[in-house]
Amino acid sequence: SVNPDLASERQTASFSVEKLTAWLDGGVEHTRIRRAVVEAIESDPVFSRENQYFQSQNERYEAAVRKAVHLQKKMHELGWTENGPEYKYIYRALAGDVAFLLHRIFMRSILMLGSDKQVAKWIPLATQYQLIGSYAQTELGHGTYLQGLETTAVFDITTQEFILNTPKISAMKWWPGDMGRSATHTVVFAQLYVHGKCYGVHPFIVQIRSLQDHSLCPGITAGDIGPKMNFEHADNGFLMLQNVRVPRENMLNKFCEVQPDGTYVRWGSQKINYFTMTTVRISIISDEVIAPVMKACTIAIRYSVVRRQSKLKPGEQEAKILDYQTQQEKLLPQLAAAYAFHFINDYLQELFNRAYREMQRKNFETLPELHAFSSGFKALITQYCTSAVEICLRACGGHGYSLLSGLPSLYTKILASCIYEGENTVLLLQTARFLIKCFMAASAGQSVPPSVTYLAAVKPGKCPAKNKLDFLNPDIYTEAYQHMAARLIRSTAAKLQDLIQSGVKKHDAWNQCTVQLAQAAKAHCHYITVKNFAETVEKLKTQAGIQQIMKHLCDLFALHGIFSNAGVFLHDGYISGAQMDMVTASYLDLLPVIRKDAVPLVDAFDFTDKSLNSALGSYDGQVYQRLYEWAQKSPTNQQMSPAYERYLKPLLHNKLSKL
Amino acid sequence: SVNPDLASERQTASFSVEKLTAWLDGGVEHTRIRRAVVEAIESDPVFSRENQYFQSQNERYEAAVRKAVHLQKKMHELGWTENGPEYKYIYRALAGDVAFLLHRIFMRSILMLGSDKQVAKWIPLATQYQLIGSYAQTELGHGTYLQGLETTAVFDITTQEFILNTPKISAMKWWPGDMGRSATHTVVFAQLYVHGKCYGVHPFIVQIRSLQDHSLCPGITAGDIGPKMNFEHADNGFLMLQNVRVPRENMLNKFCEVQPDGTYVRWGSQKINYFTMTTVRISIISDEVIAPVMKACTIAIRYSVVRRQSKLKPGEQEAKILDYQTQQEKLLPQLAAAYAFHFINDYLQELFNRAYREMQRKNFETLPELHAFSSGFKALITQYCTSAVEICLRACGGHGYSLLSGLPSLYTKILASCIYEGENTVLLLQTARFLIKCFMAASAGQSVPPSVTYLAAVKPGKCPAKNKLDFLNPDIYTEAYQHMAARLIRSTAAKLQDLIQSGVKKHDAWNQCTVQLAQAAKAHCHYITVKNFAETVEKLKTQAGIQQIMKHLCDLFALHGIFSNAGVFLHDGYISGAQMDMVTASYLDLLPVIRKDAVPLVDAFDFTDKSLNSALGSYDGQVYQRLYEWAQKSPTNQQMSPAYERYLKPLLHNKLSKL
């Protein structure tokens, strides 16, 4: 039975939830396939996550390996393949906690960086799991700055081998997933030396554990790096190499090669080495960032119509907390953001597919734009969504803080996305570098990618809005964002030039502008997100009910951004104080409008109770029963603690002085 | 041996670290006592936290009980008493993870709300630990809104007892610490009924577990609420009551009483019932909020001078990450905030002591101001500091995400402070209500507390700053904050009145203003914090070296606030766009100045390595060695996982299809 406070929310939906779900999925057929995958996974007890919040790091790891192995069997049975339509839904359905994700990245690096011969040798072995792969790039002392990696690979011409070494502690590989306990092989990134000359970082396939008994290979020290904020299931590992020899053929050599005589040959851009990271950066956004924020919204919004607290009107019963403006203002902008980023993800996928096709033809021209955008959006989206999940958690008060709400684990996991695959500040500065370059080029009349032509085209001016309703016009707010982003980039470019012209060295000048550069890069991505949301709504013309509510969400996303970053819009007077009051009024007016559809809007994400794994977020809203039943299953309630006999009893039964 | 990158930071301190420490402690004598307490605690292996990051919830609970019992013994041995000068340092030295904290609150409620007779009966028992107390207020369905509590206590005139009941699941007590597994007694807050009439919420002492064998008393259902984001050591509990009878004398009756014939008599304000929460709210700020943020700054700043990444100048070695402007801009404002809140804590303590003295004389006049301020500052400080710790964590990249850095547990713990002892939004709105009332009163010429007279006194105007140096004048920025806070309160009061005059009902109008009211309340507390910091620096005249660096931190705290909340300062043109550029310039200029003293500034907090419990934050900065050594001790590295035999071996040794 559904909690009546929740049931009533579904009766007044202004649109068809089922149609919205299908549209989000990209069509009813996709919805059907997704649900079939979810059903197959969730009906299988091996994939259950019911005890997850009670498990230790060791138990989580074991369950993850078991699931990964079982998944192979299951896929075989059900005829699911890596290229089939089901594949992309599997991971979402498993909701994390599965091993061998790095095995996929291991394979992807070989496919991307390996010669045809290497692909032919390693990919079948990996596909058949006759080895388990990992990806050893990050070191204890070196993360984002790949050129600084210290692991060495020296070519020994006499044996035709590379000798790999970890010359000091900071060079120890640290963090690679699946490496602490599972992997038999890994791709090690190391500085290549031939005849004493360093050729920079290159990837080498290295076996680290015996295929017979899984013992560490000679010269290898490896293990688990210990507890983290989340990812208990993943055996993130460390790896030290002492004179480990691999044959010449183990350097991935699609784009460069060390020939038997030690001659070094290169065919492509060295930047291609980093391309695996770019692909990972984009591929994580949907599963690791947007899905969690959708889940957090589902949990927090359902809970907020079940939880009642204090009285809005004297004499009435306590009010649903979602009826408070402050609660709406916490949650609804996050809901709007979840939609905004779902749409920008499509945009990024398209950008990526285009670039990938070009790259297959060895055309690397689009790489800088792809790199800049994937970096900037990765930073913007992960940061925004991490904060969104935290807001959802805090909006649920004490119950949000219980692991059983599902929110803490969503938060601690999404937080990592701000750090891995490129630390966000570093990424934003890479985007900024691209934007400044484009701004300079465009200002000098040179051609730049269409996405950034606006940088040199925007002129000073004032926002034309006359009343609060004008701010519900996408042209008005999109232009405000465009103006603001262009101004930030322009003014930072000017500061940079001023500093250089006043004699400050280029690198110092750059450093002195980085706070503002990062802000400008974020502003650009924020602008594109708003613009893309507005265009998506525009294209939706035929589906009236859905278009209406999407328009409201788009408005909310845009106005929330102006309200929360008022300074950058007010700064040059483009928006006046009086206009900012209109923005605020329109923004606050939207909250009760969207609040009416809040539950249908999260229902449309179509998460099952099992995938939410939350006592607060279930479809039926039986929050208190579920919390109580679940808490009783906690191992802490399974028997009396030995602490009673050992400590409490002596304390209570003796006078303190006798203890 | 100290890492030379860290050692060099200490050689150029612009002030005496030892003198700053003594000043922060309130004098050298306090420093001496604090260090003696820390030494006594940390040299005792029972109090070790070395394995904390590897322990399960059960292990953490047991260790916490063990420590609490051992502490009693230790205090007895060393002659430390609850009223002695050592007492306030014990908890800081233990750094959490100790049981029976609610026992203290149990005692405090009795001392506060109990009659002399009740104090004489219960306090000696509690002091001698012949019982273990808890404090059962929050319910599954009721937190902040105490009037909504559903637990009932019906007076039975025939037996002279109260009969306590949990009438439905949402009335179950939920969260009380020490109650899930340890407590024998608790103070239950319940709706008092006499002769069928409800007199509202009152506190009752209830025994829940046998003093003989610790089994649950008749009518009691209790247990642990399961895993949380942190506080694994605490047995937060649930409690259901079924016809549990307690004698008439068990209702705490300093301020009201049910007489034998059922007559209800009251002597004081009913609000006094909430006073325990006010005292707790203030008492947590120092230990639970400011100390953690100081630790996070210590860890992140020490790590940031040891970690090197990328090159600032071409051809040089990789730079310390603290030399990047973006890293300075992340960490140094948090450091400044730690100092700012340390000083505002003194201010709050003074306010509290004054009010407490009055209350002892049954004068409740100062209660509203104390309540409003303790609420607002609790909300501002916990929110600010939680975000500060998160920034520190993220600023350490991947290593910050490892539990071994110490940062995740600081974060997950401080986050709770935003929720417990009053959810922050609710608290801010209580402050706002007080401010609006004072503004109205002051505008009507009535007298208001000195702290809020400015509300009606501030006039429209412009900031007089002419260049960026003017923004290093405390009068300039303090006035900007004052102007901004007054404007937000004034304009929200105006909106509220407009709505009411246009026919919107009072409670609806209030709800429609709450987003802005919360913002206004925060602005007021922010203003007072800046003002108090500036006054503290002013008073420091005699200690030149320290005053200089404190002045820089005060400037940074203030300008960071303007830079990050630019919108509210620009809104009415009090600060112009050109002046905001000056603020930004002065703000960014301060970063490299304070960066020079960053390590000495965190050294002055005087945390030992054991109290930081962090591989990144140790005094010697041997970060990588410590991470590696510590990780090796992880239980995940103690033996080969059974997952190999069970899952990996069959996978690797068979073709997939045979699995």
Side-chain angles (χ1 to χ4, degrees):
Chain A
S1 71
V2 176
N3 183 314
D5 279 341
L6 181 53
S8 69
E9 300 283 334
R10 294 185 171 123
Q11 281 157 11
T12 52
S14 75
F15 60 91
S16 153
V17 169
E18 190 60 24
K19 276 190 184 150
L20 177 52
T21 298
W23 181 61
L24 290 173
D25 278 330
V28 284
E29 180 58 12
H30 287 101
T31 302
R32 194 191 60 71
I33 297 171
R34 179 175 55 74
R35 287 181 180 161
V37 170
V38 168
E39 167 59 22
I41 299 277
E42 292 189 351
S43 62
D44 188 329
V46 172
F47 295 123
S48 165
R49 291 160 62 226
E50 210 192 329
N51 290 320
Q52 182 175 307
Y53 304 129
F54 302 140
Q55 287 174 330
S56 70
Q57 192 183 352
N58 271 327
E59 289 164 339
R60 291 279 293 275
Y61 166 71
E62 259 187 68
V65 170
R66 184 180 181 208
K67 285 180 194 178
V69 173
H70 188 69
L71 178 63
Q72 294 309 315
K73 218 166 126 182
K74 190 104 188 169
M75 285 179 65
H76 189 75
E77 278 166 24
L78 297 175
W80 296 346
T81 67
E82 304 231 342
N83 303 315
E86 295 86 2
Y87 193 69
K88 69 171 174 169
Y89 299 118
I90 297 174
Y91 186 72
R92 177 178 149 134
L94 289 168
D97 273 39
V98 61
F100 307 157
L101 295 186
L102 270 287
H103 185 72
R104 283 163 68 182
I105 295 179
F106 172 83
M107 288 172 70
R108 210 185 293 183
S109 344
I110 294 173
L111 288 165
M112 182 72 60
L113 306 174
S115 64
D116 293 347
K117 208 170 147 191
Q118 290 173 321
V119 168
K121 172 175 177 185
W122 294 101
I123 294 302
L125 290 172
T127 307
Q128 293 288 313
Y129 281 94
Q130 293 184 268
L131 59 80
I132 297 165
S134 174
Y135 182 84
Q137 180 180 294
T138 302
E139 297 175 355
L140 200 36
H142 305 275
T144 304
Y145 183 68
L146 295 188
Q147 294 169 54
L149 293 178
E150 294 178 297
T151 304
T152 56
V154 177
F155 185 57
D156 179 352
I157 200 163
T158 58
T159 62
Q160 294 285 302
E161 290 171 319
F162 295 104
I163 310 168
L164 284 97
N165 269 295
T166 301
K168 49 179 165 163
I169 191 161
S170 55
M172 196 187 301
K173 295 293 176 187
W174 197 267
W175 281 110
D178 293 335
M179 195 176 76
R181 314 173 84 174
S182 295
T184 61
H185 289 67
T186 188
V187 174
V188 172
F189 284 78
Q191 301 286 355
L192 168 65
Y193 284 86
V194 186
H195 296 316
K197 183 179 167 191
C198 181
Y199 289 89
V201 172
H202 288 72
F204 302 83
I205 297 179
V206 178
Q207 182 172 353
I208 59 172
R209 286 190 178 87
S210 155
L211 288 168
Q212 288 316 303
D213 62 6
H214 220 238
S215 61
L216 292 171
C217 292
I220 300 288
T221 307
D224 186 281
I225 64 165
K228 299 141 293 186
M229 211 168 170
N230 195 315
F231 292 86
E232 293 94 335
H233 68 280
D235 55 325
N236 296 91
F238 59 80
L239 172 69
M240 249 190 310
L241 302 144
Q242 283 173 291
N243 295 318
V244 173
R245 291 175 167 265
V246 300
R248 192 177 64 88
E249 294 73 25
N250 278 26
M251 183 174 107
L252 292 176
N253 60 6
K254 181 170 188 174
F255 299 104
C256 58
E257 195 183 46
V258 175
Q259 293 175 342
D261 65 350
T263 308
Y264 179 84
V265 193
R266 160 163 296 285
W267 303 282
S269 157
Q270 182 146 19
K271 293 208 167 128
I272 195 69
N273 277 337
Y274 313 146
F275 187 65
T276 311
M277 276 192 75
T278 303
T279 76
V280 174
R281 208 168 279 152
I282 291 175
S283 70
I284 57 164
I285 289 177
S286 168
D287 283 347
E288 298 293 351
V289 187
I290 299 171
V293 93
M294 287 174 166
K295 285 185 184 178
C297 286
T298 305
I299 295 168
I301 286 173
R302 286 183 183 160
Y303 175 66
S304 296
V305 298
V306 166
R307 175 71 171 196
R308 289 175 174 272
Q309 185 168 288
S310 301
K311 298 185 182 185
L312 257 175
K313 302 182 193 190
E316 288 198 353
Q317 74 171 135
E318 292 187 51
K320 292 176 174 179
I321 59 175
L322 196 58
D323 287 328
Y324 291 95
Q325 188 190 49
T326 46
Q327 188 76 352
Q328 293 168 9
E329 208 262 331
K330 285 176 195 175
L331 297 180
L332 302 182
Q334 316 318 321
L335 178 62
Y339 278 91
F341 294 132
H342 176 82
F343 301 133
I344 203 71
N345 187 47
D346 293 343
Y347 172 94
L348 285 175
Q349 283 298 339
E350 218 177 284
L351 194 73
F352 174 76
N353 292 339
R354 210 165 51 226
Y356 190 76
R357 281 192 302 272
E358 289 304 311
M359 218 120 30
Q360 293 296 311
R361 294 189 275 159
K362 305 218 168 167
N363 169 10
F364 302 103
E365 244 170 55
T366 49
L367 205 54
E369 190 192 359
L370 180 67
H371 177 70
F373 277 35
S374 69
S375 300
F377 278 105
K378 185 272 187 185
L380 176 75
I381 299 172
T382 56
Q383 195 153 324
Y384 206 117
C385 292
T386 298
S387 141
V389 174
E390 196 202 356
I391 290 168
C392 290
L393 187 155
R394 283 165 60 165
C396 294
H399 294 320
Y401 191 78
S402 164
L403 290 199
L404 306 179
S405 75
L407 292 166
S409 59
L410 287 174
Y411 174 76
T412 52
K413 195 164 179 205
I414 199 173
L415 174 64
S417 71
C418 296
I419 299 164
Y420 61 55
E421 307 311 332
E423 195 278 331
N424 280 353
T425 305
V426 175
L427 292 181
L428 285 173
L429 292 177
Q430 296 187 5
T431 310
R433 200 176 282 278
F434 176 78
L435 293 171
I436 294 281
K437 214 182 267 178
C438 290
F439 167 71
M440 303 296 228
S443 304
Q446 295 159 20
S447 88
V448 294
S451 55
V452 289
T453 46
Y454 81 95
L455 288 174
V458 170
K459 297 276 167 283
K462 303 274 175 202
C463 171
K466 300 259 177 295
N467 57 57
K468 68 176 181 177
L469 294 180
D470 287 344
F471 279 104
L472 302 179
N473 177 347
D475 292 340
I476 295 279
Y477 58 68
T478 306
E479 218 160 295
Y481 273 91
Q482 188 187 68
H483 177 90
M484 179 273 300
R487 180 182 66 76
L488 287 174
I489 291 156
R490 203 170 54 233
S491 69
T492 314
K495 177 179 169 185
L496 197 56
Q497 288 218 304
D498 285 354
L499 283 168
I500 292 167
Q501 272 162 18
S502 75
V504 179
K505 284 195 182 136
K506 223 171 160 179
H507 52 263
D508 281 333
W510 178 262
N511 189 26
Q512 288 172 37
C513 292
T514 46
V515 166
Q516 287 148 304
L517 285 163
Q519 193 185 25
K522 227 188 290 178
H524 167 78
C525 295
H526 203 164
Y527 156 56
I528 301 287
T529 308
V530 168
K531 183 163 165 269
N532 180 66
F533 199 158
E535 286 168 359
T536 305
V537 172
E538 184 65 19
K539 278 185 238 149
L540 242 172
K541 279 209 174 100
T542 48
Q543 297 196 297
I546 292 176
Q547 191 188 32
Q548 173 83 2
I549 186 69
M550 287 300 120
K551 166 75 168 61
H552 290 321
L553 285 174
C554 180
D555 294 348
L556 187 74
F557 180 75
L559 298 186
H560 170 73
I562 301 178
F563 175 76
S564 327
N565 303 285
V568 287
F569 293 92
L570 289 165
H571 189 281
D572 65 343
Y574 181 82
I575 287 184
S576 68
Q579 285 173 322
M580 194 54 75
D581 288 337
M582 298 171 199
V583 167
T584 306
S586 268
Y587 167 57
L588 295 176
D589 285 351
L590 276 168
L591 296 174
V593 174
I594 296 171
R595 182 253 170 275
K596 284 190 204 130
D597 277 322
V599 169
L601 281 167
V602 298
D603 283 352
F605 296 146
D606 203 26
F607 288 110
T608 60
D609 284 359
K610 282 187 180 169
S611 75
L612 292 175
N613 209 21
S614 160
L616 304 191
S618 63
Y619 190 81
D620 67 7
Q622 299 294 357
V623 168
Y624 301 133
Q625 284 80 345
R626 204 143 303 169
L627 272 172
Y628 179 47
E629 283 160 23
W630 210 341
Q632 287 174 280
K633 292 183 197 160
S634 167
T636 50
N637 288 319
Q638 295 321 302
Q639 53 179 65
M640 192 177 253
S641 167
Y644 173 66
E645 287 292 332
R646 276 187 217 150
Y647 312 114
L648 293 180
K649 195 171 168 186
L651 179 70
L652 288 164
H653 286 206
N654 299 287
K655 301 268 177 215
L656 195 62
S657 52
K658 291 193 201 143
L659 253 182
Chain B
S1 72
V2 176
N3 183 313
D5 279 341
L6 181 53
S8 69
E9 301 283 333
R10 295 187 170 120
Q11 281 156 11
T12 53
S14 75
F15 60 90
S16 153
V17 169
E18 190 59 24
K19 276 190 184 150
L20 178 53
T21 298
W23 183 61
L24 291 173
D25 278 329
V28 285
E29 180 57 13
H30 287 101
T31 302
R32 194 192 59 74
I33 297 171
R34 179 176 56 71
R35 286 181 181 160
V37 169
V38 168
E39 167 59 22
I41 299 276
E42 293 189 351
S43 63
D44 188 328
V46 173
F47 296 121
S48 167
R49 291 160 62 227
E50 209 191 330
N51 291 319
Q52 181 176 307
Y53 304 129
F54 302 139
Q55 287 174 330
S56 71
Q57 193 184 351
N58 271 327
E59 289 164 338
R60 290 280 291 275
Y61 166 71
E62 261 188 67
V65 171
R66 185 181 181 208
K67 286 181 195 178
V69 172
H70 189 69
L71 178 62
Q72 294 309 316
K73 218 165 123 182
K74 191 104 186 169
M75 284 179 67
H76 188 76
E77 279 168 22
L78 297 175
W80 296 347
T81 68
E82 303 232 341
N83 302 315
E86 295 88 1
Y87 194 68
K88 67 171 176 170
Y89 299 119
I90 297 174
Y91 187 73
R92 176 178 151 136
L94 290 168
D97 272 39
V98 62
F100 309 156
L101 295 187
L102 271 287
H103 185 71
R104 282 163 68 182
I105 295 179
F106 172 84
M107 289 173 69
R108 210 184 292 183
S109 340
I110 294 173
L111 287 166
M112 183 70 61
L113 306 173
S115 63
D116 293 346
K117 207 171 146 189
Q118 289 173 322
V119 169
K121 172 175 178 186
W122 294 101
I123 294 302
L125 290 172
T127 307
Q128 292 289 314
Y129 280 95
Q130 292 183 270
L131 58 80
I132 296 166
S134 174
Y135 182 84
Q137 179 179 295
T138 303
E139 297 175 355
L140 200 36
H142 305 275
T144 303
Y145 183 66
L146 295 189
Q147 293 170 54
L149 293 178
E150 295 179 296
T151 304
T152 55
V154 177
F155 185 57
D156 180 352
I157 199 164
T158 58
T159 63
Q160 293 286 304
E161 290 171 319
F162 295 104
I163 311 168
L164 284 98
N165 268 294
T166 301
K168 47 179 166 162
I169 190 162
S170 55
M172 195 185 303
K173 295 294 176 187
W174 197 268
W175 281 111
D178 293 335
M179 197 178 74
R181 314 173 86 173
S182 296
T184 61
H185 288 67
T186 188
V187 174
V188 172
F189 284 78
Q191 301 285 357
L192 167 67
Y193 284 86
V194 185
H195 295 319
K197 183 179 166 191
C198 182
Y199 290 88
V201 173
H202 288 71
F204 301 84
I205 297 179
V206 179
Q207 181 172 353
I208 61 172
R209 286 188 178 89
S210 156
L211 288 169
Q212 288 316 305
D213 62 6
H214 216 52
S215 62
L216 293 169
C217 293
I220 300 287
T221 306
D224 185 282
I225 64 165
K228 300 140 293 184
M229 210 168 171
N230 195 314
F231 292 86
E232 293 94 337
H233 68 280
D235 54 325
N236 295 91
F238 57 79
L239 172 70
M240 249 191 309
L241 303 144
Q242 282 173 294
N243 295 317
V244 173
R245 290 175 168 264
V246 300
R248 192 178 65 89
E249 293 73 28
N250 278 25
M251 184 175 107
L252 292 177
N253 60 6
K254 180 171 189 173
F255 299 104
C256 59
E257 193 184 44
V258 176
Q259 293 174 342
D261 65 350
T263 307
Y264 178 85
V265 192
R266 159 163 297 287
W267 301 281
S269 157
Q270 184 147 21
K271 291 203 170 134
I272 196 69
N273 277 337
Y274 312 147
F275 187 64
T276 310
M277 277 191 74
T278 303
T279 76
V280 174
R281 209 169 278 151
I282 291 175
S283 70
I284 57 166
I285 290 177
S286 167
D287 283 347
E288 298 293 350
V289 188
I290 299 171
V293 94
M294 287 175 166
K295 284 185 184 177
C297 287
T298 305
I299 295 168
I301 286 173
R302 286 184 184 160
Y303 174 65
S304 295
V305 298
V306 166
R307 175 70 172 197
R308 289 176 173 272
Q309 185 168 286
S310 301
K311 299 185 182 183
L312 257 175
K313 305 186 189 188
E316 288 198 354
Q317 74 171 133
E318 291 187 53
K320 292 177 175 179
I321 58 176
L322 196 58
D323 287 328
Y324 291 96
Q325 188 190 48
T326 46
Q327 188 76 355
Q328 292 168 9
E329 208 263 331
K330 286 176 194 176
L331 297 180
L332 302 183
Q334 315 319 321
L335 177 63
Y339 277 92
F341 294 131
H342 177 81
F343 301 134
I344 203 71
N345 187 47
D346 293 343
Y347 172 93
L348 285 174
Q349 284 298 340
E350 217 175 286
L351 195 72
F352 174 76
N353 293 339
R354 210 165 51 226
Y356 190 75
R357 279 193 303 270
E358 289 303 310
M359 219 124 25
Q360 293 296 312
R361 294 189 275 159
K362 305 218 170 168
N363 170 11
F364 302 104
E365 244 171 55
T366 49
L367 205 54
E369 189 192 358
L370 179 67
H371 178 71
F373 277 34
S374 70
S375 299
F377 278 105
K378 185 273 188 184
L380 175 75
I381 299 172
T382 56
Q383 195 154 321
Y384 206 116
C385 291
T386 298
S387 142
V389 174
E390 196 201 357
I391 290 169
C392 289
L393 187 154
R394 284 164 62 165
C396 294
H399 294 318
Y401 191 77
S402 164
L403 290 200
L404 306 179
S405 74
L407 292 165
S409 60
L410 287 174
Y411 174 76
T412 53
K413 195 162 179 209
I414 198 173
L415 175 64
S417 71
C418 296
I419 299 164
Y420 61 54
E421 308 310 332
E423 194 277 333
N424 280 352
T425 305
V426 175
L427 292 182
L428 284 173
L429 292 176
Q430 296 188 6
T431 309
R433 201 176 281 279
F434 176 78
L435 292 172
I436 295 281
K437 214 181 271 178
C438 291
F439 167 70
M440 303 297 228
S443 303
Q446 295 160 22
S447 88
V448 294
S451 55
V452 289
T453 45
Y454 80 95
L455 288 174
V458 170
K459 298 275 166 282
K462 303 274 175 201
C463 170
K466 301 257 177 295
N467 57 56
K468 68 176 181 176
L469 294 180
D470 286 344
F471 279 103
L472 302 180
N473 177 346
D475 292 341
I476 294 279
Y477 56 68
T478 305
E479 217 161 296
Y481 273 91
Q482 187 188 67
H483 177 90
M484 178 272 299
R487 181 180 67 75
L488 288 173
I489 290 156
R490 203 169 53 232
S491 69
T492 314
K495 178 179 169 187
L496 196 58
Q497 289 219 304
D498 285 354
L499 284 168
I500 292 167
Q501 272 163 19
S502 75
V504 178
K505 285 196 183 132
K506 223 172 160 182
H507 53 265
D508 282 332
W510 178 263
N511 190 25
Q512 288 173 37
C513 292
T514 46
V515 166
Q516 288 149 303
L517 285 164
Q519 194 183 25
K522 226 188 292 177
H524 166 78
C525 295
H526 203 164
Y527 156 56
I528 301 287
T529 308
V530 168
K531 183 163 164 271
N532 180 67
F533 199 159
E535 287 168 0
T536 305
V537 172
E538 183 67 17
K539 277 185 241 151
L540 243 172
K541 278 200 176 111
T542 48
Q543 298 197 295
I546 293 176
Q547 192 188 34
Q548 172 85 359
I549 187 70
M550 288 300 119
K551 166 75 168 63
H552 289 322
L553 285 174
C554 180
D555 294 347
L556 187 74
F557 180 75
L559 297 185
H560 170 73
I562 301 179
F563 176 77
S564 327
N565 302 286
V568 287
F569 293 92
L570 289 164
H571 189 281
D572 66 344
Y574 183 81
I575 286 184
S576 69
Q579 285 173 321
M580 194 54 76
D581 288 337
M582 298 170 199
V583 167
T584 306
S586 269
Y587 168 57
L588 296 177
D589 285 351
L590 276 168
L591 296 174
V593 174
I594 296 172
R595 182 255 170 274
K596 284 191 207 130
D597 277 323
V599 169
L601 281 167
V602 298
D603 284 351
F605 296 145
D606 202 25
F607 289 111
T608 60
D609 283 359
K610 282 186 181 168
S611 75
L612 292 173
N613 209 19
S614 160
L616 304 191
S618 62
Y619 190 83
D620 67 6
Q622 298 294 357
V623 168
Y624 302 134
Q625 284 81 345
R626 204 143 302 169
L627 272 172
Y628 179 46
E629 284 160 23
W630 210 342
Q632 286 173 283
K633 291 184 197 159
S634 167
T636 50
N637 289 319
Q638 294 321 302
Q639 53 181 65
M640 192 177 252
S641 167
Y644 173 67
E645 286 292 332
R646 277 187 216 152
Y647 311 115
L648 293 179
K649 195 172 169 187
L651 178 72
L652 288 164
H653 287 204
N654 300 288
K655 300 264 177 219
L656 195 60
S657 52
K658 290 192 202 148
L659 252 183

